[in-house]
Amino acid sequence: MRGVSQAKWVVAAVAVALAATACSSGGSSDSSGGSSNSAAVDPSGTFSFQSAEPQRPLQPANAMENQGGRIVKQLFTGLVDYDPATGALRNQVADKIETTDAKNYTVTLKSGWTFHDGTPVTSKSFVDSWNWSANPANNQINSDWFSDIVGYDAVHPDKGDPTAKEMSGLKVVDDTHFTIELTQPVSYFTYKLGYSAFFPLPTGFFADPKGYGEKPVGNGPYQFVSWEHNKAITLKAYDKYQGTNKAKNGGIVFRAYTSPEAAYKDLMSDTLDVLDQVDSTDLPKYKDDLGSRAIDQAQGAIQNISFALYNAEWSGQDKAKVRQGLSMAIDRDTITKTVLNNSRQPADSFVAPGVMGYKAGTCGDACKYDPAKAKQLITDGGGVPGNKITILYNSDGGHKEWVDAVCNSIRQATGVECLGDPKPDFKTSRDIVTKKQVPSMMRTGWVQDYPLNANFLRDVYGTGAAANDAGYSSPEFDNLAKQADAATTVEKTAELYQQAEAVLAKDMPAIPLWYYKTNSGYSKNVQNVKFNSFGDPVYTDVEVKKK
């Protein structure tokens, strides 16, 4: 119907894509994640989850990495989120988000929402949060998520000092209404609003951002209790929560582990309740160990290794041949079947399957194992600098075995020396990556923020993007991404992003390795444990059994 709110059909189109990432069966496990048992439930009971020390303070626009991001998502709730069962976009704080041109949006909030300190959630809570997060003085890693909004360039210029503190494209109308003006139409902007950077902040935050980063006050289903650094972060259910996903338990303890094998042992002894991912050592036996409590399902995520293109010795078009050659030296099929026990699917593109716009084979020959061609390309490109590469990774994430296998494959196929470069924990490795101090290569994984190929492409490889760990910059890629964003339908956006993806296959700023699956499990203390396509448990649905 002509003139109908565009937000509705954008949501419907992308929801279909996300639904495609729903659970897939695996062996004898209960891949839907729900326990077949139905015991008496303790609604005030807490459960523990395998985690690690967040890299940054718990501020909505500062949590790009998974360890902090998953906690922020429990502490805060945005305008919208994604139904964990169907993937459909659903309103939370927003009553409605309306647009007729995908460029100008009017947001209407529901009344009655409060922060954990009792103060109301209003239009100003969102607008002030976004303006503060966009300001470079506040050092928020996800500040570029606001770059679609008119006035972002004045608040966060590429060069020089800001000429404004507020984006002119944001206007507070009253407590329950505000407007958003974008620099150009973005067909999927409503879907992006579910990302944590767009969460609201309470008034008290702005007087003490550092303090609130250590003791956050949000508006989500859980509220902050304590943070014992490198040990645990504890949350409790918020009894005045207004959202559709009210907690069925009393709280969560995000327990930091430096060894995934130790987490698995604790799960087996029922001293840990929900696992993040099964380590590679225990993958062959976890389904037998856990039975119906084992999880094996699809996940919208990809494992890459990226090049430190900010180092002059790795930049230049000739070195693209070297990068392609190293990719062709990796035997993905053998590694996923043996080392990873068929728990991963070899990657042939830069986007995970099930995501709208995924196209098989976009990586081309560069993702096919071919030792002879690999050696030739490396020679044609002038060789690997020093004939040696290192792959930086965090040793607390169960990556050693596959990193060693990738290095062995490269070494045997090309004669290039390859070594793993382990760091003790996730935070340490991420600090090196974000400071751009990696000598040659680094482990870089990506879990979808929203189920569209744009999230795997623009948000990872766009010039200056927060997640662009490689330091990749391509005018050709950026121009195609800009055209894709300006498309009038989300289907056209996805199609145009496939053209941008073809540029990555030519430049090879990163090597796609394999697509993730959620291989996890839970203890005998809990039930109704389900995982979403983002690879996270549906925390609010977990039920703690009465003892």
Side-chain angles (χ1 to χ4, degrees):
M1 179 183 296
R2 192 170 184 176
V4 71
S5 171
Q6 192 174 26
K8 294 179 181 177
W9 58 259
V10 169
V11 169
V14 185
V16 170
L18 182 54
T21 66
C23 309
S24 61
S25 298
S28 61
S29 69
D30 178 8
S31 60
S32 66
S35 171
S36 57
N37 298 324
S38 183
V41 172
D42 179 4
S44 62
T46 61
F47 70 96
S48 55
F49 176 76
Q50 175 197 0
S51 191
E53 178 74 358
Q55 182 191 9
R56 295 170 176 268
L58 296 175
Q59 301 159 325
N62 218 4
M64 180 183 67
E65 43 81 24
N66 204 29
Q67 305 303 336
R70 59 176 31 136
I71 297 170
V72 164
K73 289 176 183 177
Q74 305 315 307
L75 291 169
F76 293 84
T77 297
L79 297 170
V80 298
D81 71 358
Y82 318 98
D83 186 288
T86 66
L89 195 70
R90 62 184 182 184
N91 287 343
Q92 287 285 16
V93 184
D95 182 49
K96 54 185 176 180
I97 303 173
E98 299 171 295
T99 183
T100 57
D101 58 5
K103 185 174 184 291
N104 295 279
Y105 294 80
T106 298
V107 179
T108 302
L109 305 183
K110 296 172 184 172
S111 299
W113 278 76
T114 60
F115 288 104
H116 301 148
D117 61 3
T119 59
V121 178
T122 66
S123 296
K124 199 170 184 294
S125 307
F126 286 95
V127 171
D128 287 354
S129 173
W130 300 1
N131 280 322
W132 185 89
S133 299
N135 191 323
N138 297 320
N139 195 33
Q140 299 294 286
I141 194 168
N142 283 320
S143 59
D144 68 313
W145 277 76
F146 306 99
S147 60
D148 294 319
I149 300 172
V150 169
Y152 174 82
D153 54 351
V155 172
H156 196 133
D158 289 336
K159 296 179 181 179
D161 296 327
T163 57
K165 291 185 178 180
E166 298 179 349
M167 291 177 280
S168 58
L170 296 177
K171 302 290 185 184
V172 173
V173 178
D174 56 35
D175 281 354
T176 56
H177 296 84
F178 70 98
T179 60
I180 309 166
E181 181 184 0
L182 307 184
T183 57
Q184 64 178 21
V186 178
S187 65
Y188 57 97
F189 185 73
T190 309
Y191 226 80
K192 293 178 70 173
L193 291 174
Y195 185 56
S196 57
F198 294 98
F199 290 161
L201 287 168
T203 303
F205 171 90
F206 304 102
D208 185 17
K210 184 177 180 180
Y212 273 64
E214 288 289 314
K215 297 180 179 180
V217 175
N219 66 319
Y222 296 96
Q223 63 185 106
F224 179 83
V225 175
S226 65
W227 185 352
E228 299 176 85
H229 285 281
N230 299 300
K231 291 183 179 180
I233 293 176
T234 302
L235 313 182
K236 68 177 181 179
Y238 180 47
D239 58 2
K240 296 180 181 178
Y241 180 63
Q242 297 294 311
T244 57
N245 54 328
K246 197 172 181 67
K248 296 178 181 177
N249 53 70
I252 316 166
V253 179
F254 289 88
R255 192 180 297 168
Y257 282 88
T258 57
S259 164
E261 291 83 2
Y264 187 80
K265 288 180 181 178
D266 280 358
L267 183 77
M268 291 303 300
S269 64
D270 293 319
T271 54
L272 173 70
D273 292 316
V274 183
L275 201 67
D276 182 12
Q277 284 276 7
V278 177
D279 63 279
S280 56
T281 302
D282 293 304
L283 272 173
K285 65 187 182 75
Y286 87 103
K287 291 181 183 178
D288 290 334
D289 285 347
L290 297 173
S292 65
R293 293 181 287 114
I295 306 286
D296 181 2
Q297 68 182 58
Q299 184 185 136
I302 189 171
Q303 181 73 79
N304 304 316
I305 47 176
S306 296
F307 295 90
L309 300 181
Y310 43 81
N311 294 329
E313 60 188 5
W314 280 105
S315 63
Q317 195 56 45
D318 283 345
K319 282 294 178 282
K321 295 180 181 178
V322 175
R323 299 193 292 268
Q324 289 174 336
L326 288 171
S327 179
M328 297 179 77
I330 300 170
D331 188 350
R332 294 164 178 78
D333 287 340
T334 298
I335 294 171
T336 54
K337 287 176 182 175
T338 57
V339 178
L340 295 171
N341 200 52
N342 287 312
S343 66
R344 305 289 186 267
Q345 175 186 342
D348 60 0
S349 77
F350 294 82
V351 175
V355 172
M356 191 175 200
Y358 164 74
K359 184 179 180 181
T362 53
C363 184
D365 289 343
C367 285
K368 297 176 182 176
Y369 182 54
D370 189 334
K373 195 169 182 180
K375 288 186 74 170
Q376 186 61 53
L377 281 169
I378 291 172
T379 300
D380 292 346
V384 169
N387 201 44
K388 179 181 178 180
I389 57 172
T390 56
I391 302 175
L392 183 143
Y393 69 95
N394 54 303
S395 58
D396 62 345
H399 303 297
K400 182 182 186 303
E401 289 78 9
W402 71 255
V403 170
D404 288 347
V406 165
C407 275
N408 287 337
S409 186
I410 290 173
R411 190 183 303 112
Q412 292 171 12
T414 66
V416 172
E417 181 59 26
C418 178
L419 296 171
D421 182 14
K423 303 304 173 188
D425 52 50
F426 181 79
K427 183 182 185 302
T428 301
S429 68
R430 284 303 306 169
D431 284 345
I432 294 169
V433 170
T434 53
K435 290 176 183 177
K436 300 202 180 305
Q437 297 174 344
V438 177
S440 54
M441 300 188 73
M442 69 206 93
R443 181 192 81 82
T444 51
W446 190 253
V447 182
Q448 65 182 15
D449 297 311
Y450 52 93
L452 185 68
N453 58 353
N455 183 231
F456 286 80
L457 300 173
R458 169 186 161 171
D459 297 326
V460 179
Y461 300 105
T463 299
N468 190 342
D469 294 330
Y472 174 66
S473 181
S474 164
E476 183 182 5
F477 176 90
D478 291 341
N479 183 55
L480 287 168
K482 186 176 181 179
Q483 292 178 40
D485 284 350
T488 55
T489 69
V490 72
E491 292 88 353
K492 189 64 176 178
T493 291
E495 179 185 331
L496 290 173
Y497 262 111
Q498 291 173 350
Q499 297 179 27
E501 188 177 3
V503 177
L504 299 181
K506 179 179 64 176
D507 293 346
M508 217 66 191
I511 296 175
L513 293 177
W514 38 77
Y515 308 120
Y516 269 95
K517 294 171 70 179
T518 298
N519 299 105
S520 181
Y522 51 96
S523 77
K524 297 174 183 176
N525 302 324
V526 292
Q527 63 185 21
N528 200 37
V529 180
K530 306 169 185 175
F531 278 71
N532 59 27
S533 65
F534 296 82
D536 288 326
V538 185
Y539 297 98
T540 52
D541 278 358
V542 175
E543 296 174 339
V544 180
K545 298 178 182 178
K546 281 187 177 180
K547 295 181 180 179

